[in-house]
Amino acid sequence: MSLLNPVLLPPQVKAYLSQGERFIKWDDETTIASPVILRVDPKGYYLYWTYQSKEMEFLDITSIRDTRFGKFAKIPKSQKLRDVFNMDFPDNHFLLKTLTVVSGPDMVDLTFHNFVSYKENVGKDWAEDVLALAKHPATTNAPRSTFLDKILVKLKMQLNPEGKIPVKNFFQMFPADRKRVEAALSACHLAKGKNDAINPEDFPESVYKSFLMSLCPRPEIDEIFTSHHAKAKPYMTKEHLTKFINKKQRDSRLNSLLFPPARPDQVQGLIEKYEPSGINVQRGQLSPEGMVWFLCGPENSVLAQDKLLLHQDMTQPLNHYFINSSHNTYLTAGQFSGLSSAEMYRQVLLSGCRCVELDCWKGKPPDEEPIITHGFTMTTDILFKEAIEAIAESAFKTSPYPVILSFENHVDSSRQQAKMAEYCRTMFGDMLLTEPLEKFPLKPGVPLPSPEDLRGKILIKNKKNQFSGSTVPSKEPDGEAEDSCPPSAPSGEDTVWAAEEGAELEEMEEEEEESGNLDEEEMKKMQSDEGTASLEVTAYEEMSSLVNYIQPTKFVSFELSAQKNRSYIISSFTELKAYDLLSKASVQFVDYNKRQMSRIYPKGTRMDSSNYMPQMFWNAGCQMVALNFQTMDLPMQQNMALFEFNGQSGYLLKHEFMRRPDKQFNPFSVDSIDVVVATTLSITVISGQFLSERSVRTYVEVELFGLPGDPKRRYRTKLSPNTNSINPVWKEEPFVFEKILMPELASLRVAVMEESNRFLGHRIIPINALNSGYHHLCLHSESNIPLTMPALFVFLELKDYVPDTWADLTVALTNPIKYFSAHDKKSVKLKEATGSLPEKLFPSGSPVSRQVNGSSVPASNGSAGHLPAHPVFLQQLESRSRRRKRLWSRRQPAPRSCAS
């Protein structure tokens, strides 16, 4: 049980990281190279370096996005620095000593911290082990206690020359209310003047916790404590704490045999861990302060921590998964005039994305190097080979599962396409999948291989054709550009090629270019919602030979796709086209995605790189719902939050209704789904802690993403009573989402805003990854980086949805003795009032009864619940319930008469 044994343990810091290593830190802009000692604190919170002047610089591990060494690390450009490192001398072995740490608040705004070690291969170890700390799931999903501990660690590391903690650091760490900080320091008998300093020995963890309790009192937890402990006693016994855990913190839906409730002897360990008073520990008692720290601990994580780890079956066919996908991956800003960068491929892959897009265009003489850019716009270019190199280095740093390269190929030159294919072969090496796997031939009816089958492989998505002979002349005239010879017009080359789809495919490919010039009709296409995707050229043999399991084809109809039954065919749709298909033929679209894959991408008129909401296309089982990763808007935040789970593998197994051919699923008209139990979610926003650096009023939004038929989507609290952002309390009724039809497809978003609507922090969590009970919800930034200070205290209750008409039957099922006891009492009262007893437990004609073999038994309402409705089962249930009632009545003393 997670309350007693947390699943997710904190990362372990290797000894050499905390002991430190000598490096030279350099900066190209300042041309300064400084000796430093690089370290990681023993708890793995910070990477920091100390200069010879004893000055320190800190880097929060959660802000680290990448680490690089060797040829992938940054290399000094200034001659001054090159001379310092003797880079222009032969055999200097500089690349064996490099280390670059990349950090930033998002994927675009990056800082590169560059180091050179004194010994070879040191940088390699540091790069691997520091990145492992940054990517550990407990680093970004730590409990509240860890984030509070991070503050203490930093305070005790940032010492003045006398080795003391400057009081001004407290004011900088807790800036929202200086007077409260001073009062809290005084309450702990510590100096409070801005020029004062505190001896670290006078500020141990116990004093720090007292300081926090004084700075941020928790009256709302005191109320919870009071309602669950022995009356008139200032403590909670281990029996009371056990009852609280089983009643409030435990999911009521858990099977008691598989997940046994906590016992008092087990709970004693929690008291020993969290109770500050030694005497209370000996007596098995928990104080209100101990209750606060218990609710901040890892045992009370709001997340089902096992869901963060790789836990899903990865051996299903590829099209059975949602795949984390990117659109126009190379862009750092808008679609019309933004900068392109190979760095974006690294950042997107490091975030867990498994499908990236490459818009390839023909390079100009004299080099004729293929480029990547957004065609017919003012976006900048990058070299194709730079993007391939970035992908080769970063493809499997975060996830070992297959990467799909989605080519939008406009290179109508056989020579340059051959160059592209050669770069892929040489830079990817064995990672590139060039031939189908033996067990999964490219034949109709054969399923796709699984992510596990394709582990560590890169797949090319590009138009594919069948060839005989060669598409490239043996020798081309020097300096002659191949602008006018796309494969559709071989121009005398001895080439025979045939479209795999025959006459149907020829029809589909009418939109392809016939020359290097765009006519007016093609310009209109380019400016349409499809953008330049409609102008893609056909592949020459070299590129075509790299394509296997992901073969793009223009969509014709669901009927034709079903007839062909080829899993390796993929169609791409703009968001508008996909929505049109979804609204007109939702069941067929879901069935289509059971057999093969679809890719959805933003319409071409989204010039600001904004995103569409991905939920509607996940609801239809679309695998590659591609988004602009450079824009951290709400759709992208939802995407990042969802794919944080299952080990950040980039693959999430779809629900069986989106995989099984014998099941039908319509996301728009779902009332109830066979054998899927709807969920009722209730969330009470109780209080907040350190929500803003300013003294402001705040409010909380609660929002549900799911199926169209799910309940009201958004709630909002009132503004906090006063300008207190340290510990505001909201005393409001719970927000209830009564019937979440398919919890596996739904997510909850909780966001905190200032009175001025300024964003402060949020969290998006899948419904099936939430835990019931009282929890501290540690907030994240817009780009999903955990915020150290801000948190919300909430109460969550998740249970199976049961219609009101089934309430009595539910009680009878879960606790027959209690139900029939209550029923007998009602019967006695009814007899007193009417002089007769009801003939049957469930009267005929009631909403919870039906006739079975002449008897009235509880009914199953198919449109309003998911309890079994089989007649035999209902007969057995009634028989068993009556038998238990008889056994129970025999144990009871005979009832006295009314007269006595």
Side-chain angles (χ1 to χ4, degrees), residues 282-386:
Q282 292 177 5
R283 295 174 177 173
Q285 299 169 351
L286 188 75
S287 67
E289 186 176 347
M291 181 71 156
V292 171
W293 300 118
F294 165 61
L295 291 174
C296 287
E299 296 85 357
N300 286 293
S301 171
V302 70
L303 295 174
Q305 296 179 348
D306 58 321
K307 297 279 197 300
L308 287 165
L309 305 173
L310 186 69
H311 66 282
Q312 293 182 340
D313 178 9
M314 302 302 284
T315 63
Q316 299 279 329
L318 206 62
N319 54 304
H320 285 186
Y321 297 82
F322 296 120
I323 303 172
N324 198 356
S325 302
S326 166
H327 171 252
N328 287 358
T329 310
Y330 49 90
L331 288 178
T332 62
Q335 308 285 312
F336 185 70
S337 60
L339 294 176
S340 301
S341 171
E343 180 63 39
M344 282 301 295
Y345 287 99
R346 288 188 170 93
Q347 293 304 316
V348 167
L349 289 166
L350 286 161
S351 74
C353 182
R354 297 289 86 190
C355 177
V356 297
E357 186 177 25
L358 301 92
D359 287 2
C360 307
W361 296 82
K362 191 166 55 181
K364 297 177 182 178
D367 296 330
E368 294 190 7
E369 283 289 344
I371 60 171
I372 290 177
T373 189
H374 197 199
F376 310 107
T377 66
M378 292 186 289
T379 57
T380 59
D381 307 339
I382 58 173
L383 292 176
F384 176 84
K385 63 181 178 182
E386 288 183 1

Side-chain angles (χ1 to χ4, degrees), residues 331-454:
L331 288 178
T332 62
Q335 308 285 312
F336 185 70
S337 60
L339 294 176
S340 301
S341 171
E343 180 63 39
M344 282 301 295
Y345 287 99
R346 288 188 170 93
Q347 293 304 316
V348 167
L349 289 166
L350 286 161
S351 74
C353 182
R354 297 289 86 190
C355 177
V356 297
E357 186 177 25
L358 301 92
D359 287 2
C360 307
W361 296 82
K362 191 166 55 181
K364 297 177 182 178
D367 296 330
E368 294 190 7
E369 283 289 344
I371 60 171
I372 290 177
T373 189
H374 197 199
F376 310 107
T377 66
M378 292 186 289
T379 57
T380 59
D381 307 339
I382 58 173
L383 292 176
F384 176 84
K385 63 181 178 182
E386 288 183 1
I388 296 301
E389 183 180 52
I391 293 168
E393 192 239 338
S394 303
F396 303 108
K397 275 188 169 183
T398 296
S399 166
Y401 292 102
V403 169
I404 298 165
L405 306 189
S406 179
F407 280 77
E408 187 181 298
N409 196 343
H410 303 277
V411 179
D412 56 353
S413 159
S414 60
R415 176 189 293 170
Q416 291 195 29
Q417 280 203 23
K419 191 178 286 190
M420 291 164 57
E422 182 61 21
Y423 286 142
C424 290
R425 289 182 185 275
T426 56
M427 292 187 182
F428 294 151
D430 292 340
M431 294 186 293
L432 183 64
L433 186 73
T434 56
E435 298 292 337
L437 303 180
E438 187 177 344
K439 292 182 179 179
F440 301 94
L442 297 177
K443 293 181 180 179
V446 177
L448 289 171
S450 70
E452 189 61 40
D453 293 321
L454 298 169

Side-chain angles (χ1 to χ4, degrees), residues 60-210:
D60 194 315
I61 291 288
T62 61
S63 72
I64 294 177
R65 295 187 167 272
D66 194 13
T67 56
R68 300 168 193 168
F69 61 89
K71 67 178 182 178
F72 296 113
K74 288 284 186 180
I75 307 298
K77 295 178 182 178
S78 76
Q79 191 59 47
K80 180 181 177 181
L81 289 175
R82 294 181 68 87
D83 292 341
V84 168
F85 298 120
N86 296 321
M87 289 182 62
D88 297 323
F89 286 84
D91 301 324
N92 61 41
H93 296 172
F94 177 81
L95 290 180
L96 297 176
K97 302 175 183 178
T98 57
L99 170 66
T100 294
V101 179
V102 187
S103 67
D106 53 46
M107 297 184 197
V108 177
D109 186 11
L110 302 174
T111 302
F112 296 85
H113 310 271
N114 303 305
F115 303 89
V116 177
S117 65
Y118 290 83
K119 295 177 288 188
E120 295 176 7
N121 295 321
V122 170
K124 180 178 184 293
D125 294 338
W126 276 78
E128 292 174 351
D129 291 332
V130 169
L131 189 62
L133 292 175
K135 292 294 181 182
H136 194 285
T139 298
T140 51
N141 294 285
R144 182 63 179 158
S145 57
T146 294
F147 288 108
L148 294 175
D149 191 41
K150 283 179 71 171
I151 299 170
L152 174 62
V153 168
K154 193 168 186 179
L155 283 170
K156 298 185 78 168
M157 289 171 68
Q158 291 180 310
L159 306 178
N160 63 15
E162 290 76 39
K164 295 184 177 182
I165 307 171
V167 171
K168 66 179 182 180
N169 288 359
F170 285 83
F171 299 138
Q172 293 171 357
M173 194 72 75
F174 307 98
D177 194 328
R178 179 165 176 164
K179 289 184 178 179
R180 288 179 69 160
V181 175
E182 291 175 344
L185 289 170
S186 294
C188 296
H189 309 290
L190 299 170
K192 63 178 183 178
K194 67 177 182 179
N195 296 321
D196 292 336
I198 299 170
N199 195 321
E201 285 75 24
D202 296 333
F203 197 63
E205 183 180 10
S206 58
V207 174
Y208 170 62
K209 286 185 173 181
S210 298

Side-chain angles (χ1 to χ4, degrees), residues 685-748:
V685 179
I686 301 172
S687 64
Q689 295 79 47
F690 305 110
L691 296 180
S692 174
E693 295 180 351
R694 303 185 297 167
S695 187
V696 291
R697 297 177 75 188
T698 53
Y699 66 91
V700 180
E701 286 182 349
V702 178
E703 189 171 6
L704 179 73
F705 305 115
L707 292 171
D710 282 340
K712 177 181 175 179
R713 299 303 179 90
R714 181 183 294 181
Y715 294 97
R716 172 178 164 173
T717 68
K718 296 175 182 177
L719 282 170
S720 54
N722 47 52
T723 57
N724 163 26
S725 61
I726 291 181
N727 62 337
V729 175
W730 292 271
K731 293 188 176 180
E732 298 188 19
E733 293 299 310
F735 299 140
V736 179
F737 300 95
E738 186 178 17
K739 187 181 180 183
I740 303 172
L741 294 163
M742 191 180 279
E744 293 87 346
L745 273 176
S747 298
L748 180 73

